[in-house]
Amino acid sequence: MSIDLFKPYVDFVFKGIFKNSPKALASLICSVRDWPKDRIKSITYLDSQLSKDHQEGKAGAVDLIVEIEDKKKVHIEIQAVYHDFYRERSIFYASRLNGQQLYRGIS
């Protein structure tokens, strides 16, 4: 008898697991970044929709964006299938996230 289980690398399963378990997400981030396992003390989940800069601009949605205690924002994206355009898309998302954190008077 075989049992079909949801794969954790499928987008909605990944989000379901890590949006409901901040400790598991902190562990994942620390593992990937090679940080000490106790580096992240708190996680705040943020809106993962990246708005357009202008009417003709491109919007985006990433899997998870979280803020850790030192106000750093962490963008988490699961990619199970190779795409030639992934590098460009990652740069776009990172640039958009960085730009959204800038306010008047910040250089």
Side-chain angles (χ1 to χ4, degrees):
M1 173 194 285
S2 96
I3 299 173
D4 287 333
L5 300 175
F6 289 117
K7 310 287 190 260
Y9 53 81
V10 174
D11 218 29
F12 78 92
V13 177
F14 177 83
K15 289 179 194 178
I17 292 169
F18 290 107
K19 245 188 162 172
N20 294 307
S21 180
K23 285 184 179 185
L25 182 56
S27 179
L28 174 70
I29 294 168
C30 288
S31 294
V32 169
R33 297 291 305 171
D34 199 26
W35 290 344
K37 64 182 178 180
D38 60 348
R39 162 121 189 243
I40 298 176
K41 309 278 190 276
S42 67
I43 287 182
T44 302
Y45 292 90
L46 304 173
D47 184 7
S48 61
Q49 299 297 314
L50 302 173
S51 59
K52 296 182 187 182
D53 285 343
H54 50 85
Q55 189 172 3
E56 291 82 29
K58 178 173 173 45
V62 299
D63 290 338
L64 292 172
I65 298 175
V66 298
E67 184 176 81
I68 55 179
E69 69 279 343
D70 58 1
K71 300 295 181 192
K72 284 187 180 166
K73 291 190 173 53
V74 180
H75 160 211
I76 299 107
E77 187 76 22
I78 186 76
Q79 195 69 42
V81 177
Y82 176 80
H83 293 286
D84 288 333
F85 56 82
Y86 184 71
R87 179 184 167 139
E88 289 80 11
R89 186 170 62 175
S90 294
I91 291 169
F92 169 78
Y93 287 155
S95 298
R96 181 62 60 88
L97 182 59
N98 188 48
Q100 288 179 345
Q101 296 177 67
L102 297 176
Y103 296 98
R104 188 177 188 172
I106 296 177
S107 54

